[in-house]
Amino acid sequence: MKGTVAVGGMALSQAYLVIDRKTDVSAYRVEKTDEELQRLQAASARCAKELSALIEGLRQDADPEQAEILDFQLLLLEDENYMGQIVHTIQKEQINCEYAVAHHSRLYREELSALDNPYLNERVADISDIEQRLLQALSCREKATLPTAPVIAVAQDLTPSQVVELGHGKLEGIILEKGGLSSHCVILARSMGIPCIIGAAGVLAQVEQGMPLLLDGETGEIVLSPDDETVRSYRQYKEARRQELCSLEQFRQAKTMTADGKTMKVYANITTNLEVPGVLEQGGEGVGLLRTEMLYMERDAAPDEETQFALYSAIVKGLEGRPLIIRTLDVGGDKSIPYLGISPEENPFLGYRAIRYCLDHPEIFRPQLAAILRAAAFGPVQLMLPMIAATDEVEQAKEAIDGVRRELKERGSATGPVSVGVMMETPAAAVMAEQLAEMVDFFSIGTNDLTQYLFAADRNNAQVAALNSYFQPALLRVVEHICRCAHEKGVEVGICGQAGEVEQLIPLWVGMGVDELSVSIPSIPRVRRRIKGCDTAACRELVERVLQCSSDTEVRKEVERWL
């Protein structure tokens, strides 16, 4: 079986099925509302006790981020807009607790979703969580016995509190039939270092309680009842992983510098402000890619300027002076947002997407630009334009930025300096690198898209996977050309695609003079270690040899010999 990797890593353990047993929430009339309110009070007290114990455990384990999520749920039990309305409905309509809880939970979720406040928007999942806790307590249903040995949780989806309850050393991995890459469950799993696979359709029907499972968070594969050879391979992986983490500790907070003293930077790719503590913990020197599209994908209407400003400024402040590169809306391709009204296309990856859409829709683009410029008042911010294919797109975008800045000045809104860069991810941009370098402050090479466009090979198509290789000499020649053109104009170059964290390729990036690598948060120390082992002159010699290669295989052999 396969799913989508949400958090990398591997796990081998018994399956723990989390089955969502629904409580009957249909309405019926109650004569004695005092007794009904006593039921509600008892259920609320039980929930408060459970949550308080969880929060205390998290604080003792120094997990303030996770404790904050559950703190919100505890406050809901005293919230007049939530619990107060439930009590009022029971009294006024003489209705049962279950219906009142379900009814007002739905209304409160809708109310929070409609607000222009990203923090409260993200709390919608917590409403569902506390609703299920209350319903479970009201039904006098005992909670499922928590596992006493390490397990891999298998479920349709998990609430934040379920992840925390199953954690504390007992949760080895998570497999979900549903879930989203930016859901609270996934964010918590990432912060706890728990491998997670989502979108594994049908897994609950095939897995039995207690069945041995192997979760491969590198390939997305799920192996049921793995054989002895697979188990041996996993144990070798586990021991190697343990040794690896120990050896990487010294590189978490070290300065990024090659063996001969050349300074580089290792940044992180993130999607949400909740990932900022992880960036700092792993020693990230900034954020090289903030994917803003998730802010648009998780709602029914485009976020307004204030909503975006709240998110961007929170990240700027959280980074404590470290740079933040914000990519403007990269919609289209595999990121569909229905309310934006982009018509179905035969080939959306080559269609009406990213900067092409934004330039045609100032009602979407300008509020985002305003939020970015305002957030820059709190710290270093850079603005990155995706999917650039022509110089006039950059000119139009810069005109829009200047226009928005003038409007903000007229209305008295504080802004900060913002350097403008482009994603180098189309062959056209690569060909025009010299001209583009005269127009912008920095380049960021998106190797994922650049590779598939260069080879006309869909990166999601397994049949052409061999072409989508970062070791292809054609790709390496293009990256070297981009770096050379940029540096001739004094423009810095970063790599924010997956190739930036492939260890065998890092000597090539050093040799080409790449200034910054932006990688997944857990990879930061590993990438820094590889950079510190590189001598710049030797890496340049390697680049010269590799650029003479004519195949992926030749490049791999050359790099392996060098390593």
Side-chain angles (χ1 to χ4, degrees), residues 219-523:
T219 65
E221 291 184 286
I222 302 159
V223 182
L224 312 184
S225 301
D227 58 26
D228 291 343
E229 184 178 348
T230 304
V231 172
R232 278 194 298 273
S233 296
Y234 168 77
R235 286 176 178 159
Q236 291 171 356
Y237 158 84
K238 197 73 172 176
E239 176 58 24
R241 179 65 177 156
R242 185 191 67 78
Q243 295 179 12
E244 172 84 346
L245 290 175
C246 289
S247 69
L248 286 175
E249 187 61 30
Q250 61 181 304
F251 298 98
R252 277 202 304 134
Q253 301 297 336
K255 187 176 181 180
T256 308
M257 186 179 291
T258 63
D260 58 312
K262 182 179 182 293
T263 301
M264 288 182 68
K265 297 183 283 286
V266 181
Y267 290 173
N269 299 328
I270 69 170
T271 302
T272 168
N273 59 313
L274 295 177
E275 294 173 279
V276 171
V279 176
L280 304 188
E281 182 184 345
Q282 293 302 321
E285 293 160 287
V287 168
L289 171 63
L290 170 61
R291 307 177 187 92
T292 61
E293 55 272 11
M294 291 300 175
L295 186 59
Y296 292 76
M297 294 172 72
E298 295 178 335
R299 58 190 64 230
D300 298 324
D304 66 6
E305 179 188 325
E306 291 302 323
T307 300
Q308 296 186 68
F309 168 67
L311 174 66
Y312 305 153
S313 58
I315 295 174
V316 173
K317 293 172 184 175
L319 288 172
E320 300 173 348
R322 296 168 181 83
L324 167 65
I325 300 178
I326 302 176
R327 181 175 68 187
T328 58
L329 178 60
D330 189 9
V331 66
D334 57 347
K335 298 183 280 275
S336 174
I337 304 178
Y339 64 77
L340 293 181
I342 300 176
S343 301
E345 299 173 301
E346 287 190 14
N347 194 336
F349 281 102
L350 300 181
Y352 192 48
R353 57 172 299 197
I355 195 66
R356 302 168 182 179
Y357 175 87
C358 288
L359 290 175
D360 283 351
H361 291 270
E363 76 282 2
I364 298 293
F365 196 33
R366 293 176 78 87
Q368 181 172 45
L369 296 178
I372 293 171
L373 293 172
R374 289 173 60 197
F378 298 96
V381 170
Q382 296 170 263
L383 185 154
M384 183 160 63
L385 305 169
M387 196 65 182
I388 293 296
T391 56
D392 59 351
E393 292 171 331
V394 178
E395 289 174 351
Q396 291 176 53
K398 290 175 72 174
E399 288 173 4
I401 294 167
D402 290 342
V404 170
R405 189 182 289 278
R406 285 193 298 271
E407 291 175 6
L408 291 171
K409 185 177 180 180
E410 288 172 4
R411 76 184 198 202
S413 296
T415 63
V418 173
S419 58
V420 177
V422 295
M423 289 276 287
M424 302 296 282
E425 54 187 339
T426 67
V431 170
M432 297 295 289
E434 185 177 356
Q435 289 73 22
L436 288 170
E438 295 177 344
M439 305 174 67
V440 298
D441 302 301
F442 67 95
F443 287 164
S444 187
I445 304 173
T447 51
N448 300 355
D449 271 342
L450 180 59
T451 307
Q452 75 165 347
Y453 291 141
L454 188 63
F455 292 99
D458 182 353
R459 71 184 191 219
N460 296 316
N461 186 334
Q463 292 179 299
V464 293
L467 287 172
N468 264 302
S469 165
Y470 304 129
F471 291 86
Q472 289 282 4
L475 174 68
L476 298 175
R477 289 185 183 192
V478 167
V479 174
E480 193 275 337
H481 168 73
I482 292 170
C483 291
R484 185 161 27 86
C485 291
H487 291 142
E488 286 174 358
K489 303 294 183 182
V491 168
E492 287 200 349
V493 182
I495 292 179
C496 65
Q498 191 175 347
E501 59 187 72
V502 176
E503 288 209 46
Q504 297 93 322
L505 291 171
I506 290 174
L508 297 179
W509 309 146
V510 172
M512 292 180 191
V514 171
D515 300 286
E516 165 254 307
L517 297 175
S518 191
V519 301
S520 61
I521 293 172
S523 299

Side-chain angles (χ1 to χ4, degrees), residues 3-15:
T4 300
V5 176
V7 183
M10 294 180 71
L12 173 66
S13 196
Q14 293 184 338

Side-chain angles (χ1 to χ4, degrees), residues 37-348:
L37 291 173
Q38 287 174 7
R39 286 183 64 220
L40 179 65
Q41 185 177 12
S44 177
R46 174 178 166 179
C47 292
K49 183 178 179 180
E50 291 173 355
L51 287 168
S52 296
L54 282 173
I55 292 166
E56 181 60 29
L58 288 171
R59 287 185 173 141
Q60 288 179 0
D61 293 342
D63 279 330
E65 180 182 328
Q66 298 168 34
E68 179 190 345
I69 291 175
L70 297 188
D71 258 331
F72 180 81
Q73 295 184 27
L74 189 59
L75 289 172
L76 282 173
L77 296 175
E78 302 174 0
D79 186 349
E80 189 62 29
N81 285 332
Y82 181 64
M83 191 60 75
Q85 290 298 320
I86 293 171
V87 170
H88 179 72
T89 296
I90 293 170
Q91 291 174 323
K92 183 179 179 181
E93 299 183 21
Q94 291 186 274
I95 208 80
N96 58 306
C97 291
E98 290 82 359
Y99 170 80
V101 167
H103 176 68
H104 283 289
S105 295
R106 178 179 59 81
L107 293 179
Y108 205 22
R109 279 194 296 270
E110 292 173 354
E111 181 182 335
L112 291 186
S113 296
L115 293 175
D116 292 327
N117 184 312
Y119 175 81
L120 292 177
N121 295 154
E122 289 168 358
R123 304 278 79 84
V124 168
D126 298 317
I127 305 296
S128 298
D129 201 345
I130 198 68
E131 175 190 5
Q132 291 307 311
R133 281 186 173 276
L134 283 168
L135 291 175
Q136 179 176 276
L138 286 167
S139 66
C140 298
R141 202 172 68 224
E142 287 301 317
K143 292 176 60 177
T145 304
L146 292 174
T148 56
V151 296
I152 294 175
V154 184
Q156 273 207 330
D157 206 350
L158 289 176
T159 66
S161 65
Q162 285 176 315
V163 176
V164 174
E165 284 179 321
L166 289 166
H168 300 293
K170 298 295 187 290
L171 192 54
E172 297 275 292
I174 298 172
I175 301 171
L176 303 178
E177 289 196 335
K178 296 181 179 179
L181 289 172
S182 59
S183 69
H184 264 146
C185 171
V186 169
I187 291 168
L188 283 175
R190 190 177 296 126
S191 71
M192 297 166 77
I194 299 170
C196 177
I197 289 176
I198 63 175
V203 67
L204 284 170
Q206 298 189 44
V207 174
E208 297 178 4
Q209 195 75 266
M211 174 186 283
L213 292 180
L214 174 72
L215 180 163
D216 189 336
E218 308 298 326
T219 65
E221 291 184 286
I222 302 159
V223 182
L224 312 184
S225 301
D227 58 26
D228 291 343
E229 184 178 348
T230 304
V231 172
R232 278 194 298 273
S233 296
Y234 168 77
R235 286 176 178 159
Q236 291 171 356
Y237 158 84
K238 197 73 172 176
E239 176 58 24
R241 179 65 177 156
R242 185 191 67 78
Q243 295 179 12
E244 172 84 346
L245 290 175
C246 289
S247 69
L248 286 175
E249 187 61 30
Q250 61 181 304
F251 298 98
R252 277 202 304 134
Q253 301 297 336
K255 187 176 181 180
T256 308
M257 186 179 291
T258 63
D260 58 312
K262 182 179 182 293
T263 301
M264 288 182 68
K265 297 183 283 286
V266 181
Y267 290 173
N269 299 328
I270 69 170
T271 302
T272 168
N273 59 313
L274 295 177
E275 294 173 279
V276 171
V279 176
L280 304 188
E281 182 184 345
Q282 293 302 321
E285 293 160 287
V287 168
L289 171 63
L290 170 61
R291 307 177 187 92
T292 61
E293 55 272 11
M294 291 300 175
L295 186 59
Y296 292 76
M297 294 172 72
E298 295 178 335
R299 58 190 64 230
D300 298 324
D304 66 6
E305 179 188 325
E306 291 302 323
T307 300
Q308 296 186 68
F309 168 67
L311 174 66
Y312 305 153
S313 58
I315 295 174
V316 173
K317 293 172 184 175
L319 288 172
E320 300 173 348
R322 296 168 181 83
L324 167 65
I325 300 178
I326 302 176
R327 181 175 68 187
T328 58
L329 178 60
D330 189 9
V331 66
D334 57 347
K335 298 183 280 275
S336 174
I337 304 178
Y339 64 77
L340 293 181
I342 300 176
S343 301
E345 299 173 301
E346 287 190 14
N347 194 336

